[in-house]
Amino acid sequence: MGLFRRRPDDDRTWGMRFTETFLPVLGPASIRRTPPSPPRPEDLAREAHLHHSYRRVTGADGHPYVVERRPD
């Protein structure tokens, strides 16, 4: 069957090929056709509070971590 065979120039994984077999039935993912709405003032205030309360630190292993800021 064509689902399990791989063409020489096909670099998709088995899972991707399997998932793409459902496209004729389910269709592609839904995408928004309208322009994005601007963020609400509550969301902007929450974002500012989070940026003020936490900071991003890169550990010795190279992974980023979010830590609470110490009150100065």
Side-chain angles (χ1 to χ4, degrees):
M1 185 145 188
L3 174 64
F4 301 107
R5 291 202 185 120
R6 203 169 161 182
R7 294 187 313 258
D9 61 339
D10 190 5
D11 61 346
R12 297 174 303 162
T13 63
W14 179 87
M16 184 59 91
R17 290 193 316 270
F18 178 75
T19 304
E20 288 177 351
T21 60
F22 293 111
L23 284 177
V25 177
L26 301 176
S30 297
I31 58 172
R32 178 180 276 197
R33 303 261 186 228
T34 60
S37 58
R40 297 180 306 178
E42 304 91 42
D43 295 335
L44 293 174
R46 181 176 180 270
E47 184 78 16
H49 174 70
L50 288 173
H51 279 282
H52 181 70
S53 301
Y54 296 96
R55 66 185 175 107
R56 188 170 154 177
V57 177
T58 303
D61 58 355
H63 290 88
Y65 299 94
V66 177
V67 295
E68 192 171 359
R69 289 186 192 266
R70 293 183 183 168
D72 293 333

